[in-house]
Amino acid sequence: MKYTFEIIRLFLLSTVICGCSQEDPEQTVLQTRKESAPVERTAPTEYRIEQDQNGKYWFAYSDGSRFLSIGIDNVVPSAWNPRENTDYYNAIEEVFGGDYQAWKKDVTSILADHKFNTFGAWSDGGLTSDTMYQTPCLYVAAHKVDRCLEGLRPGFEQRVRDNIDIILADHPDTSRVIGVFLDNEAAWFGRNGWDDIATYTLLELAMDMSEEDPANLAAKEFIKSRYKSLEDFSEAWGRPLDTFADLDTDYMRRCLNEKTQADRDAFTRLAAEKYFSTATRVVREVLPGRLILGVRFAAWAPEPVMEVCGKYCDVVSINDYRKAPEPSEAMLTEYYVRGGKPLMITEFSWRAKENTSGNPNTGGAGAVVETQEQRAKNYQAYVEELLSYPMVIGAHWFEFADQSPQGRFDGENSNYGIVDIHHRPYSEVLDAMEETNGLLEGIHAKSSREVPTELIEASQVTFTPGQHPERPPAVDLLEETPIQGPELFNAPDAKTSLKKDGDVLTFEYNTGDQWGCGVIFHGPKMWALEYGPNYAVNLDGYSTLVIDAEFSQDVTFEVFVDEAGVGHHQSESFNVEAGDDGESFTFGPIPASSGRKEYRFDFEDLKARVDWGNQRGARRVDLNAMKGFAIYLIGGQGQGTIDIRSVRLVR
């Protein structure tokens, strides 16, 4: 996913950014626990990964038995760092009269009776059982936003050791620890762990550090090492640079082409190599016989990081919140093909409006359904499909107890639990989980799916212009009365406005530093459809889009083409009443120089977008049912104007 746009990023920022995986209760260990001496580890028990004669991957125990890891995250006796004057899960005090052992026995029974076998990430370290495994999250680089750069800084190895000791102080018995996570949703994309901003990667993050920071120095040396001269660098990045001393994030974020992306990917790979090589070596020394379960990626990750993670870890772990209860074959395939290691989904969930905690579900990741019955059905459908993949060996549900209805520490207030805040089980969900969990090893063993060997390539986009001889050879969307006026969109930190002066429409922008901003132009009212979305128009018969525009500064922009039923790429369904299937297309990034120019775009050159629109569509441009055409500016390019004189469709 190389480029980003409009509402998809609002969805991501409003869901995953405040999503469940930010719970991280073990932060309290790193933040408040006094440094303690390393504890003596339990004698090692060997866990390993095996692939059977049919190509299916499994966890394997020291006695040779094989299993899948089916778990629940965040099994803890009380909510972490609850806010004042809120209701929250506090079962030991409220239900078990202060008796930790009684709570431990009960929650272990709940999970084991419903055929779970793993306490997932952030679970209480004292939850030891002969029927349950543990999977602690070590946070080897602690919790700084820039921790993906830690491998570039001196002393990283010792910091890894210190952080491991802090976390494992809560896990004195490691005999049932299958493996450990190195981290959770770290900012591998640069700005954060989930938002793929093409001009804000780990390279820009490093350049944002102080000049004395070793990561900043490493970034500058990296750039210099890839070019023979300043002139070569300036030519490759597409903008003049007087001296390397002037190189900064502002300069870099205005540059977007194949060479700049290659440099960014190479630096991301370097940072990942330093991080994973050191962290995994130390973990294997400290915890022999335990598996390294990856870093719990926030859905997608940069391609180089997928590859490096697979190189050094035993398992690649992914947090994946989906609207429809069905895993993404493309995502699972890409992680496996690039990483070469089996996979676990380490967070997934659905929330219901119907719940006994009073959760409003206004904060948190993933879809909200109506009833507990729907949560139950979604679990069954998703997990049964997920474990049919031969390379998937685990699934961990988020989470054990509901969040506070008034909001947990960060405001999330959702019904993720298998019990409510009063420790009352959601029986419909648990019964469905028990039924499904008992089938999973058989589903996995008997599945006819084969281990993937190649990435799933997006099918070729087809475009066939229609025949409308009655229509003029060209139509200007700025001259005709539109079915709906131009539509602005922008990231929370960006600003946009439109001003009309005679024949010129001026788009004023400040792209901000996040995913950016843009404007959508809708079709003429005279060709409106009587069915489908309110803005649906028939623009068939044209083959080219021509935009006459004057840019006030050099920028990189994209033009998107949206069908009428377009929507979030994870939507369960799309509005097909207008005759399209809700796809979105792009021409890719286009460099624009300051000054006036006509930009010509032939529809036969369109590519399907992977971060917006129906991903199961026919990969066909349906001009007979269109929403409109968007000019999009990626973030980090500052402020300026675009004087738009025409947006013409021509034959």
Side-chain angles (χ1 to χ4, degrees):
M1 302 193 308
K2 285 294 183 186
Y3 304 103
T4 59
F5 174 47
E6 51 169 317
I7 307 173
I8 173 76
R9 295 313 178 197
L10 291 177
F11 270 92
L12 289 173
L13 290 170
S14 65
T15 56
V16 184
I17 193 167
C18 55
C20 311
S21 49
Q22 297 299 305
E23 184 91 27
D24 294 5
E26 288 181 331
Q27 284 189 27
T28 186
V29 176
L30 286 172
Q31 293 173 349
T32 65
R33 182 187 303 279
K34 293 181 179 180
E35 292 186 10
S36 57
V39 299
E40 183 178 348
R41 312 290 178 224
T42 307
T45 305
E46 290 288 335
Y47 295 95
R48 57 184 180 270
I49 301 293
E50 290 186 356
Q51 192 173 16
D52 65 22
Q53 66 273 18
N54 297 317
K56 311 294 173 52
Y57 284 95
W58 303 84
F59 285 104
Y61 191 54
S62 54
D63 65 3
S65 60
R66 295 169 175 165
F67 62 96
L68 304 170
S69 176
I70 309 301
I72 299 288
D73 289 329
N74 199 25
V75 187
V76 291
S78 182
W80 179 75
N81 197 24
R83 300 192 299 175
E84 291 185 6
N85 302 316
T86 60
D87 302 314
Y88 56 89
Y89 183 78
N90 189 18
I92 290 180
E93 299 300 324
E94 294 184 359
V95 180
F96 296 95
D99 189 341
Y100 171 83
Q101 293 301 324
W103 172 83
K104 172 182 174 179
K105 180 179 179 180
D106 191 67
V107 298
T108 301
S109 295
I110 290 174
L111 268 62
D113 290 349
H114 293 89
K115 294 184 170 55
F116 288 98
N117 65 5
T118 307
F119 296 116
W122 313 300
S123 294
D124 186 87
L127 287 173
T128 54
S129 164
D130 291 340
T131 63
M132 301 291 292
Y133 300 104
Q134 295 175 313
T135 55
C137 189
L138 298 180
Y139 294 105
V140 296
H143 291 273
K144 294 192 302 182
V145 174
D146 62 352
R147 61 189 183 270
C148 297
L149 302 173
E150 277 291 276
L152 301 170
R153 295 167 174 142
F156 179 50
E157 178 174 336
Q158 186 57 52
R159 291 193 294 277
V160 171
R161 294 182 187 277
D162 293 343
N163 290 327
I164 292 173
D165 283 341
I166 292 171
I167 295 297
L168 291 186
D170 267 1
H171 295 76
D173 180 0
T174 59
S175 61
R176 297 291 289 181
V177 172
I178 313 171
V180 294
F181 302 108
L182 300 179
D183 206 325
N184 178 70
E185 296 195 351
W188 292 108
F189 277 118
R191 176 170 283 279
N192 51 45
W194 46 83
D195 200 357
D196 181 5
I197 300 174
T199 59
Y200 198 104
T201 66
L202 287 182
L203 182 57
E204 285 76 22
L205 182 66
M207 293 295 294
D208 266 349
M209 299 295 106
S210 69
E211 293 186 357
E212 296 76 24
D213 191 307
N216 180 285
L217 297 173
K220 291 176 179 176
E221 288 304 314
F222 167 83
I223 287 293
K224 292 178 182 178
S225 71
R226 290 176 68 85
Y227 295 95
K228 294 180 179 180
S229 67
L230 181 65
E231 290 73 21
D232 288 343
F233 170 79
S234 297
E235 181 178 356
W237 279 63
R239 291 180 183 274
L241 185 68
D242 293 335
T243 69
F244 275 118
D246 296 328
L247 182 62
D248 59 15
T249 306
D250 287 342
Y251 171 92
M252 300 173 78
R253 294 209 63 193
R254 294 174 182 271
C255 302
L256 183 64
N257 58 50
E258 291 184 2
K259 292 181 179 178
T260 67
Q261 294 310 93
D263 286 347
R264 289 173 169 121
D265 285 347
F267 184 79
T268 295
R269 184 180 298 276
L270 172 66
E273 279 278 347
K274 297 288 188 180
Y275 175 98
F276 282 100
S277 62
T278 299
T280 54
R281 174 171 51 80
V282 174
V283 171
R284 289 194 168 97
E285 178 185 329
V286 174
L287 285 171
R290 302 302 181 275
L291 298 167
I292 299 178
L293 306 176
V295 291
R296 301 171 64 91
F297 290 120
W300 291 96
E303 294 168 8
V305 184
M306 292 185 189
E307 295 165 0
V308 175
C309 179
K311 176 181 176 181
Y312 289 102
C313 296
D314 301 297
V315 175
V316 175
S317 49
I318 310 155
N319 299 340
D320 184 38
Y321 291 89
R322 310 199 72 79
K323 291 192 175 182
E326 129 182 36
S328 166
E329 182 178 7
M331 184 177 74
L332 296 175
T333 298
E334 181 159 3
Y335 268 108
Y336 178 73
V337 171
R338 293 193 185 281
K341 296 293 174 62
L343 312 175
M344 294 175 67
I345 298 299
T346 40
E347 283 187 39
F348 68 102
S349 200
W350 284 270
R351 315 169 269 169
K353 295 178 182 178
E354 169 197 273
N355 65 81
T356 53
S357 293
N359 293 122
N361 300 308
T362 55
V368 178
V369 297
E370 291 293 327
T371 65
Q372 294 298 320
E373 180 184 9
Q374 188 61 54
R375 291 179 83 207
K377 290 180 178 178
N378 283 7
Y379 179 88
Q380 291 182 308
Y382 181 82
V383 174
E384 289 178 17
E385 181 78 4
L386 179 69
L387 271 301
S388 72
Y389 284 88
M391 68 284 194
V392 177
I393 59 174
H396 293 181
W397 170 273
F398 189 88
E399 61 183 324
F400 179 71
D402 281 342
Q403 297 171 335
S404 167
Q406 295 86 25
R408 65 173 190 179
F409 67 93
D410 64 354
E412 284 192 14
N413 53 17
S414 286
N415 161 233
Y416 289 116
I418 58 173
V419 302
D420 69 8
I421 61 173
H422 307 294
H423 197 70
R424 296 175 298 200
Y426 289 106
S427 298
E428 281 181 287
V429 176
L430 281 166
D431 289 347
M433 288 174 163
E434 179 182 357
E435 178 183 349
T436 291
N437 293 349
L439 302 173
L440 292 179
E441 289 195 1
I443 289 172
H444 192 65
K446 297 174 184 178
S447 172
S448 61
R449 292 183 186 271
E450 296 183 356
V451 175
T453 58
E454 296 180 352
L455 300 176
I456 297 176
E457 297 292 340
S459 57
Q460 182 89 18
V461 171
T462 59
F463 169 70
T464 304
Q467 299 297 318
H468 285 274
E470 77 285 0
R471 291 188 169 172
V475 60
D476 189 344
L477 302 185
L478 296 188
E479 289 183 355
E480 301 295 338
T481 302
I483 191 171
Q484 180 175 313
E487 179 181 342
L488 296 168
F489 58 90
N490 52 268
D493 69 336
K495 295 181 180 180
T496 56
S497 66
L498 288 172
K499 182 175 61 176
K500 188 72 180 293
D501 185 6
D503 295 333
V504 178
L505 180 66
T506 299
F507 174 53
E508 297 181 344
Y509 63 84
N510 183 331
T511 66
D513 290 327
Q514 298 178 18
W515 54 260
C517 59
V519 56
I520 302 172
F521 298 98
H522 299 278
K525 187 175 183 180
M526 61 186 179
W527 293 333
L529 297 176
E530 296 179 358
Y531 39 82
N534 292 335
Y535 43 67
V537 296
N538 186 334
L539 300 177
D540 206 9
Y542 296 99
S543 60
T544 301
L545 177 71
V546 180
I547 299 176
D548 182 351
E550 181 176 353
F551 288 79
S552 65
Q553 61 172 351
D554 294 354
V555 294
T556 299
F557 73 103
E558 286 193 64
V559 169
F560 295 120
V561 176
D562 284 346
E563 294 179 348
V566 73
H568 191 286
H569 71 293
Q570 287 190 11
S571 296
E572 295 185 43
S573 62
F574 294 83
N575 187 335
V576 298
E577 295 177 0
D580 64 303
D581 52 10
E583 292 183 292
S584 182
F585 306 92
T586 178
F587 293 99
I590 304 117
S593 300
S594 60
R596 183 177 176 180
K597 179 181 175 180
E598 278 198 345
Y599 297 86
R600 184 183 182 91
F601 306 95
D602 295 325
F603 294 139
E604 63 182 13
D605 296 329
L606 282 167
K607 305 176 183 66
R609 295 176 63 202
V610 298
D611 53 2
W612 195 249
N614 184 6
Q615 300 305 297
R616 300 178 191 159
R619 293 297 186 262
R620 180 184 63 245
V621 184
D622 293 314
L623 287 185
N624 59 293
M626 292 297 298
K627 176 181 181 179
F629 308 92
I631 297 175
Y632 162 63
L633 297 169
I634 198 167
Q637 300 191 84
Q639 61 185 22
T641 61
I642 307 174
D643 289 339
I644 305 168
R645 288 174 168 78
S646 66
V647 179
R648 303 194 315 276
L649 292 169
V650 301
R651 292 191 184 280

